[in-house]
Amino acid sequence: MSKKHFISLPIQLFLSAVIAWLLATLLPLPSNITQTTAFQLLMLTKTTYIGLLKMVVGAVVMFSLLQGITSLGSTLRLKTLGYKAVLFYSFTSLIAIALGLGSSLALPAWPQLIDTASVSVGENVQLIDNTAASGGAIAEKLFNMALANPFSALTNTNLLAIVVFSLLFGVALLTSLPTKHPVFEVISGVNSALNRFVSGIIRFAPIAVFAIVFEFTATSGSAIFGQLAQFALLVFVLTLIHGGVVLPVIAKLATGIKFSTLFKALSAPMAMAFATSSSSATLPLSMQTAENELGVSQSTSSMVLPLGAIMNMDGTALFEGVAAIFLAQLYGVDLGTSGLIMIFIMAMVSSIGAPGMPSGSMSGMQLVLLAAGIPLEAIAILLIIERPLDTFRTAVNVEGDIIAAYVVDKWQRS
């Protein structure tokens, strides 16, 4: 992708979103807009774009990780890079959860709702069993996700399993083959071809963003009662603080980068994450941004960013912590110290391995509710506004991934 085109992409995404919002707001749309041929054709462009990204994201993660590992040259450097990445991810996630819980507890409590137990969660939401909240069940779930057949993982876009297999297989290649082995050249060639493929797909991003914003504006309702609006505002402000202050300050202190340089580089992938609500779909663009705009080495970006797409969910962890406090107060649940500790731990654990797709955090949110003793029916309240909030926290998730890659790369070179 040319430099000129890449720099102009944020502007294209912004203009596409604004135009779509204006058209959906100002045009006299029919009540059955979703049934019209024009609307369905427009949605086809969104489905095609997201489908193309889903088609390639598993292979991109696998071959990027394999090339990143094999290009390190030694298992010692691999161990150092992975340790620094996980350390950074854990640190920022802890800050996000602490920010969410601390702010929620410092503010006046929301009044308890009346007769909320009668709220139905809907047929399309599957609630997990109470036994799934135990530590053993959570560990078993993560292991089952991670230790899956790699071909099945590629088919189902199980990024956690793809990452685990790629790490293990990459280490095996690194330790058993000479540095100049033809296998490494094949991996590099496939990775280059995949990057070229992704570059072609990303050129159509503005069209997909137009379709996504138009659909959301034309079909979403505005009936949000006061308490829910206050909760949404709180989550938005805290997410903005974490993404606009905490993460950039960490990047500044760790690397000395200028805020203007950082935000200019982050604008395109964050806009894509905001539009798609999918860190997985944004991953190819995030890797290009880290390498082309921030100068992150390919060996670092191809390992740190795929890891971040499955385990670095700052926005998700913050949301789950605030949501647990909000729902507990609405239901009159006295959390106590043990309940707060459980929320803190479960928000951290459940954000790891959360699907990098729209509303992917809902399964983890259920674990947090169960651990804190909050009725699972409360999930229905979150579903009213979960989707728009998901856009903001996904953008922060992607921002944290790229900043992590940049910081870790600087650590590696120091």
Side-chain angles (χ1 to χ4, degrees), residues 50-108:
I50 299 299
L52 287 172
L53 287 176
K54 288 182 178 179
M55 175 196 301
V56 74
V57 67
V60 167
V61 170
M62 176 176 287
F63 283 94
S64 295
L65 271 175
L66 287 176
Q67 181 173 2
I69 293 171
T70 55
S71 63
L72 290 175
S74 68
T75 54
L76 178 60
R77 189 161 183 258
L78 170 64
K79 180 180 179 180
T80 304
L81 181 62
Y83 169 76
K84 291 177 179 178
V86 173
L87 180 64
F88 186 89
Y89 291 152
S90 301
F91 176 67
T92 57
S93 294
L94 287 173
I95 292 178
I97 299 173
L99 177 63
L101 291 179
S103 301
S104 299
L105 295 174
L107 294 173

Side-chain angles (χ1 to χ4, degrees), residues 114-411:
I114 301 176
D115 197 25
T116 52
S118 61
V119 178
S120 173
V121 298
E123 296 180 357
N124 61 330
V125 179
Q126 182 178 3
L127 296 179
I128 58 179
D129 186 80
N130 288 328
T131 57
S134 65
I138 295 170
E140 182 180 2
K141 178 183 177 182
L142 289 176
F143 273 83
N144 286 335
M145 289 177 59
L147 304 179
N149 184 289
F151 298 102
S152 174
L154 286 170
T155 302
N156 300 319
T157 318
N158 181 353
L159 292 186
L160 183 60
I162 293 173
V163 167
V164 171
F165 171 79
S166 301
L167 287 173
L168 296 177
F169 188 54
V171 172
L173 291 175
L174 189 63
T175 56
S176 61
L177 299 178
T179 306
K180 300 297 183 181
H181 197 277
V183 169
F184 299 148
E185 297 180 6
V186 172
I187 293 175
S188 179
V190 173
N191 196 51
S192 297
L194 287 171
N195 288 335
R196 179 64 62 88
F197 184 25
V198 169
S199 296
I201 297 174
I202 290 175
R203 292 179 183 272
F204 297 97
I207 301 176
V209 169
F210 177 90
I212 293 170
V213 173
F214 185 89
E215 177 190 24
F216 182 80
T217 307
T219 60
S220 62
S222 58
I224 301 178
F225 54 90
Q227 294 177 19
L228 201 56
Q230 293 175 20
F231 164 73
L233 179 62
L234 176 61
V235 172
F236 171 74
V237 171
L238 293 178
T239 303
L240 188 64
I241 291 174
H242 188 75
V245 179
V246 175
L247 290 177
V249 168
I250 291 176
K252 174 71 173 180
L253 294 177
T255 67
I257 188 173
K258 296 181 179 179
F259 291 130
S260 57
T261 302
L262 179 64
F263 284 116
K264 181 180 179 181
L266 292 172
S267 58
M270 288 186 68
M272 177 57 65
F274 181 87
T276 62
S277 296
S278 173
S279 55
S280 298
T282 313
L283 181 57
L285 180 57
S286 299
M287 296 177 68
Q288 287 192 350
T289 297
E291 295 172 14
N292 298 339
E293 295 299 307
L294 296 176
V296 177
S297 66
Q298 188 179 43
S299 61
T300 299
S301 68
S302 59
M303 180 177 177
V304 175
L305 288 174
L307 278 177
I310 65 166
M311 68 174 300
N312 185 39
M313 303 285 184
D314 291 358
T316 299
L318 187 152
F319 167 79
E320 291 177 349
V322 177
I325 300 296
F326 170 68
L327 294 176
Q329 292 175 352
L330 292 187
Y331 272 79
V333 177
D334 185 13
L335 294 174
T337 303
S338 60
L340 292 176
I341 294 175
M342 286 303 299
I343 290 175
F344 190 94
I345 296 175
M346 293 308 302
M348 185 77 179
V349 172
S350 63
S351 67
I352 299 175
M357 61 185 67
S359 301
S361 63
M362 280 298 97
S363 60
M365 188 68 243
Q366 293 177 47
L367 292 176
V368 176
L369 296 184
L370 286 173
I374 302 171
L376 278 179
E377 289 81 2
I379 204 78
I381 299 176
L382 293 183
L383 291 175
I384 300 174
I385 57 168
E386 194 276 335
R387 186 64 181 87
L389 289 177
D390 189 32
T391 61
F392 294 102
R393 66 172 180 262
T394 303
V396 172
N397 290 343
V398 169
E399 177 192 12
D401 293 346
I402 298 175
I403 289 178
Y406 183 67
V407 171
V408 170
D409 190 64
K410 289 293 183 181
W411 288 348

Side-chain angles (χ1 to χ4, degrees), residues 37-47 207 210-211 214-215:
T37 302
F39 183 86
Q40 292 174 354
L41 289 176
L42 181 61
M43 291 305 101
L44 183 61
T45 62
K46 180 196 75 170
T47 302
I207 301 176
F210 177 90
F214 185 89
E215 177 190 24

